[in-house]
Amino acid sequence: MLNFDFYNPTHIVFGKERLNELDKLVPQNAKVLITYGGGSVKKFGTLPKVTEALKGREVLEFGGIEPNPRFETLMNAVDVVKKENIDFLLAVGGGSVMDGTKFIALAANYKGNDPEKILMGGAGTVEEAVPLGTVVTLPATGSEMNMGGVVTYNGGKLVFMSPLAFPKFSFLDPTLTYSLPKKQVANGVVDAFVHTTEQYLTFPVDGRFQDRTAEGILQSLIEIGRKTMDEPEDYDTRANLVWNATMALNGVIGSGVPQDWATHMLGHEITAFYGVDHGQSLAIVLPSLLRLRKEGKKAKLIQYAERVWNITTGTDDEKMEQAITKTEEFFNSLDVKTKLSDYGIDASGIDLMIGGLEAKGLKALSETRDITLDVSRQIYEAAL
């Protein structure tokens, strides 16, 4: 097992009908800015419940944070924070709202005139952030219990990380996710699944707890993925999706093991240039990437085949191919297609995406840094 530090200060409040407990967790004298995306938090009654729980405090709202939150939108919120002397942020929504709110928390106290540098490796220069909490309405990203985020800037999706961005608390009420469209639920299942494989399908370092926990998450998502789409108000099934999505990216399964993240980096370019949903982009990239990197990931791919998919017969090559095919079939069973052509993208788009990777300096991806731009091109080509 590799050396590691583990730190996660987020207080999780899990279960139904607990939003009234916001009153205990948000300081009584706080001036609160609630951030959210579209109108669904109003339409389905989540926002009124939140504001009722915050009664007695001065509360402002900032809506309109889009999927793949844009830097310009978030800077408008930063202006509100500064002008109104906001001292607590509460994100009500899914990963985009939570990621965007983390950026707002950091940018509001950024000392320079170029807050975009937070997205370019400069998050560590921020010395203080506005405290934030979250109310999760879409299980997918794990942003409710980690220190990272992704923001769209100049057409690209850029990652930032800072310990100051950990939420103070996060409310995970599975019933708040019942109204989600099937498509969003499916994307969330895929996102959590690939978050897990990015930390698991690398190379062995005898991280037994991490491996078994990752395998448990993957098996759980396989078991509940379609059911939670078809039976959205089955509480136990949806509760398992919510908690698995959180555990997939809160640092536990990634501590002390190598991590990949090439699937995400390649997927970000598909989203940036073609507007394909994040979960869909991951489903496109992962099978092709695994096929092209079979040798480098051989030991873990065979372990994945045997432990997650119960594939115990055949040659090593047959086991690996069956496991990758099973993964594709799982994504397709969620109505998430796995080819670029399924989204109207042909070979002419590959140059654009390779150019995007090159512009960001993403020329040596994966846990072993062996995915060059040429290999990235091959992965995209194999996904056509």
Side-chain angles (χ1 to χ4, degrees), residues 1-2 4 199-200 203-215 252-258 300 303 307:
M1 197 183 308
L2 308 177
F4 68 91
Q199 302 164 87
Y200 170 71
F203 56 84
V205 292
D206 203 25
R208 301 189 187 201
F209 169 80
Q210 297 92 320
D211 280 2
R212 293 293 189 183
T213 306
E215 290 155 4
V252 170
I253 64 170
S255 295
V257 299
K300 292 302 286 287
Q303 182 176 309
R307 294 187 183 179

Side-chain angles (χ1 to χ4, degrees), residues 110-124:
Y110 184 73
K111 302 300 184 187
N113 296 318
D114 47 4
E116 65 274 11
K117 287 192 175 177
I118 293 172
L119 307 173
M120 302 170 188

Side-chain angles (χ1 to χ4, degrees), residues 272-335:
F273 285 104
Y274 293 101
V276 173
D277 293 347
H278 177 59
Q280 294 170 335
S281 77
L282 302 178
I284 292 167
V285 173
L286 181 64
S288 298
L289 182 148
L290 293 178
R291 286 193 173 100
L292 278 161
R293 297 202 60 238
K294 272 184 184 177
E295 285 308 308
K297 293 180 179 288
K298 184 174 182 178
K300 292 302 286 287
L301 263 174
I302 293 170
Q303 182 176 309
Y304 172 63
E306 293 175 345
R307 294 187 183 179
V308 175
W309 292 110
N310 197 31
I311 299 166
T312 57
T313 60
T315 66
D316 288 349
D317 280 345
E318 287 169 342
K319 287 179 182 178
M320 290 189 287
E321 180 54 36
Q322 284 185 62
I324 296 168
T325 299
K326 287 279 191 184
T327 305
E328 277 181 313
E329 290 173 350
F330 173 58
F331 294 158
N332 279 289
S333 78
L334 305 173
D335 303 325

Side-chain angles (χ1 to χ4, degrees), residues 2-58:
L2 308 177
N3 293 353
F4 68 91
D5 289 353
F6 180 81
Y7 171 72
N8 196 314
T10 301
H11 173 183
I12 295 295
V13 183
F14 192 101
K16 62 182 82 172
E17 298 176 2
R18 299 191 66 183
L19 284 181
N20 61 308
E21 295 175 44
L22 278 166
D23 185 53
K24 302 175 186 175
L25 296 175
V26 177
Q28 290 293 329
N29 60 348
K31 189 173 185 180
V32 182
L33 180 66
I34 299 174
T35 57
Y36 57 93
S40 61
V41 293
K42 292 182 177 180
K43 179 181 178 182
F44 295 109
T46 304
L47 192 59
K49 291 177 183 175
V50 168
T51 53
E52 175 64 22
L54 297 175
K55 195 163 54 179
R57 299 167 182 80
E58 189 171 355

Side-chain angles (χ1 to χ4, degrees), residues 153-159 262 264-274 348-365 371-374 376-377 380:
Y153 178 74
N154 274 353
K157 294 183 69 172
L158 302 180
V159 177
H264 272 71
M265 296 302 102
L266 271 66
H268 285 171
E269 298 307 312
I270 301 173
T271 298
F273 285 104
Y274 293 101
S348 65
I350 292 177
D351 284 343
L352 274 177
M353 296 185 290
I354 293 297
L357 291 170
E358 187 170 17
K360 298 178 186 67
L362 301 174
K363 303 175 184 179
L365 299 173
I371 296 186
T372 62
L373 290 177
D374 284 343
S376 291
R377 182 180 293 278
Y380 285 136

